[in-house]
Amino acid sequence: MSGADNIYKYITTEGKIYGEEAKKFTMLKYLQKSTGVFNQDGMLTKEQVKEMRKRAQMGEKNLWHGFISFNKENSQQIDDPEKCIALIKQIFGQFFKDAGFNPDNMDLMCALHLDRPEHLHIHYMFWEKEPRVKNQRAAGYKYRAKGKIPLDVIDKMTERLNAYTIGDDIAHKRDEVIKAFYKREDFAQAKSRDIATKYMKVLADKIPKDASFQYGRKDMIPYRDDIDFIAETIISTDRKTFQADMAFREEMDKKEKVLQSIMGNYYKQRLKKDNTFKEYMTDAADIAGVKSIETIDRLRWDYRRRLGNIVLKKVREIQRETYKRNPCRKYKTNDKNLKRKLAISSRKVRGIMDGLFGSVAELFSPETTNYRNRLREIEEEMQAEYEKENRPQETEQPKPTNSKWNWGK
């Protein structure tokens, strides 16, 4: 790397890089704008190459050089920089690990040669940025004096290269299996449980212990988005409940649009009236029940409120059963008493979540059913009132009076 004739000069020779038939390769213009060398992270700039060459010449170091040659049949797999970089990225990380190197401590420089179109080949060289072999005789590290790469490591790399040339069929089938696994209902439900558990624990930490834990109260306003998200996530762990919830929400949206388009100002007046009451629907609303709700907007809000209260009840249980370290207290190393309390707390919280997930249908489905029935009633009531208020008034005929002026007429 330091002499007049060096490996860097060789692998970046124009004739080697471009070759006689280089015009047919789409990478020509791309390489002309660069140094023509790359590694697993992409094309190397001149500044990067300068720094790498400087590191290669500092201290005692081994520099390894090799090449990967593809036959005519497979040369198309490395005929542009993007393909080469993808190959290097996939192959060299494991190669370095097998050879006992730290991949983060390696400088790697590669170049594609097109001078032999029937078997394109990649030249590569690598070295350690700093020596990382333990010195057995003295403290610290030293460079690899012999620099020998074990033959079995090279054989493994050759196997990976051969597998790479076969194509992506095996990798494609593997990806299809993974995708199918992720699409499985039980996996999706397990993932939803993990998410809900995580966010409920976070919410239990965020809400003050002296809070009201009622969705409709003002001190819950900052947490309502989190509560709604957790409620929806928990519902998704039970397929039938999730489908019922989704169908009900869609039905509410459709009915509201229909009523708005038909009734116009009449519907706006009712919404304006109910918006003043909506934020106060807390304990009193539970006593009055869904019959007291008169608009779909209030129905939607109260539906979220009741689902949110189910979540908040469990969040409060988690908060009460969660044991935390006292930040003002010094604990012994491996404090057995602390470990026991944390383990008991974790077991109790896990029991709360297991009980919640085991009763999703029982807790949430009745709310969906009751509110769907009330939705239909609201629609019928509103349409009946609208028709009544907009019905033309009937004029009654005056009854004849007995007088001398109209008698006998």
Side-chain angles (χ1 to χ4, degrees), residues 272-336:
K272 187 176 181 181
K273 178 183 174 182
D274 283 340
N275 280 336
T276 58
F277 177 75
K278 194 167 64 174
E279 290 294 329
Y280 300 98
M281 293 175 63
T282 52
D283 301 333
D286 290 323
I287 297 170
V290 287
K291 288 288 183 182
S292 64
I293 300 173
E294 298 179 353
T295 63
I296 295 175
D297 187 58
R298 245 176 68 186
L299 184 76
R300 184 187 290 108
W301 192 91
D302 196 55
Y303 179 64
R304 291 203 314 269
R305 181 187 67 83
R306 291 182 185 246
L307 299 184
N309 282 340
I310 296 172
V311 171
L312 284 170
K313 183 179 178 181
K314 295 298 178 180
V315 169
R316 193 168 198 174
E317 290 179 21
I318 291 172
Q319 192 182 75
R320 288 171 175 169
E321 296 298 342
T322 300
Y323 181 82
K324 295 183 179 180
R325 296 171 58 112
N326 186 348
C328 300
R329 177 183 169 185
K330 289 185 179 181
Y331 294 91
K332 297 179 181 179
T333 305
N334 296 323
D335 192 308
K336 292 183 179 179

Side-chain angles (χ1 to χ4, degrees), residues 141-203:
Y141 295 89
K142 66 176 184 178
Y143 81 106
R144 295 167 187 255
K146 294 183 179 179
K148 187 175 181 180
I149 303 294
L151 187 60
D152 63 325
V153 174
I154 299 173
D155 290 340
K156 288 178 182 178
M157 186 179 186
T158 307
E159 288 177 13
R160 285 194 294 274
L161 285 165
N162 286 328
Y164 190 90
T165 60
I166 290 172
D168 296 333
D169 188 50
I170 296 174
H172 177 71
K173 289 180 179 178
R174 178 199 63 201
D175 292 340
E176 288 299 317
V177 171
I178 293 172
K179 287 179 183 178
F181 178 75
Y182 277 104
K183 288 179 181 177
R184 284 180 55 178
E185 185 177 336
D186 52 353
F187 179 84
Q189 290 174 349
K191 185 177 179 181
S192 295
R193 290 191 191 102
D194 290 342
I195 293 171
T197 301
K198 174 185 174 182
Y199 279 91
M200 286 183 77
K201 289 179 179 178
V202 171
L203 191 60

Side-chain angles (χ1 to χ4, degrees), residues 109-125:
M109 190 180 291
C110 310
L112 171 63
H113 282 188
L114 304 173
D115 56 326
R116 298 183 183 181
E118 293 192 355
H119 66 93
L120 303 185
H121 52 285
I122 300 172
H123 280 269
Y124 63 86
M125 51 184 168

Side-chain angles (χ1 to χ4, degrees), residues 26-225:
T26 58
M27 50 80 73
L28 177 59
K29 291 182 179 178
Y30 192 87
L31 281 176
Q32 285 175 333
K33 294 178 182 179
S34 69
T35 60
V37 289
F38 53 87
N39 61 14
Q40 68 275 20
D41 297 321
M43 300 301 296
L44 294 171
T45 65
K46 290 182 179 179
E47 289 73 19
Q48 288 176 312
V49 171
K50 187 177 180 181
E51 291 298 319
M52 290 173 70
R53 293 184 68 184
K54 188 184 294 183
R55 285 196 294 270
Q57 296 167 19
M58 290 174 60
E60 294 179 302
K61 275 188 173 63
N62 289 312
L63 276 70
W64 289 267
H65 167 243
F67 62 90
I68 300 168
S69 180
F70 278 33
N71 59 20
K72 183 177 181 180
E73 181 183 353
N74 293 303
S75 286
Q76 61 180 355
Q77 297 191 49
I78 57 168
D79 61 4
D80 66 45
E82 286 76 15
K83 293 178 183 178
C84 293
I85 292 166
L87 170 68
I88 297 300
K89 187 173 184 178
Q90 185 169 329
I91 298 300
F92 269 87
Q94 188 59 48
F95 169 72
F96 287 147
K97 290 178 182 178
D98 292 343
F101 296 113
N102 176 6
D104 295 330
N105 186 45
M106 303 301 295
D107 271 331
L108 173 64
M109 190 180 291
C110 310
L112 171 63
H113 282 188
L114 304 173
D115 56 326
R116 298 183 183 181
E118 293 192 355
H119 66 93
L120 303 185
H121 52 285
I122 300 172
H123 280 269
Y124 63 86
M125 51 184 168
F126 60 87
W127 58 89
E128 291 179 296
K129 296 176 183 177
E130 297 178 8
R132 278 290 181 267
V133 177
K134 279 283 187 182
N135 192 336
Q136 301 297 329
R137 297 181 180 180
Y141 295 89
K142 66 176 184 178
Y143 81 106
R144 295 167 187 255
K146 294 183 179 179
K148 187 175 181 180
I149 303 294
L151 187 60
D152 63 325
V153 174
I154 299 173
D155 290 340
K156 288 178 182 178
M157 186 179 186
T158 307
E159 288 177 13
R160 285 194 294 274
L161 285 165
N162 286 328
Y164 190 90
T165 60
I166 290 172
D168 296 333
D169 188 50
I170 296 174
H172 177 71
K173 289 180 179 178
R174 178 199 63 201
D175 292 340
E176 288 299 317
V177 171
I178 293 172
K179 287 179 183 178
F181 178 75
Y182 277 104
K183 288 179 181 177
R184 284 180 55 178
E185 185 177 336
D186 52 353
F187 179 84
Q189 290 174 349
K191 185 177 179 181
S192 295
R193 290 191 191 102
D194 290 342
I195 293 171
T197 301
K198 174 185 174 182
Y199 279 91
M200 286 183 77
K201 289 179 179 178
V202 171
L203 191 60
D205 283 337
K206 286 165 66 174
I207 299 178
K209 291 187 177 181
D210 58 348
S212 61
F213 283 85
Q214 289 289 326
Y215 187 95
R217 304 281 179 166
K218 287 186 177 181
D219 53 355
M220 287 295 110
I221 292 176
Y223 313 109
R224 282 180 188 163
D225 288 342

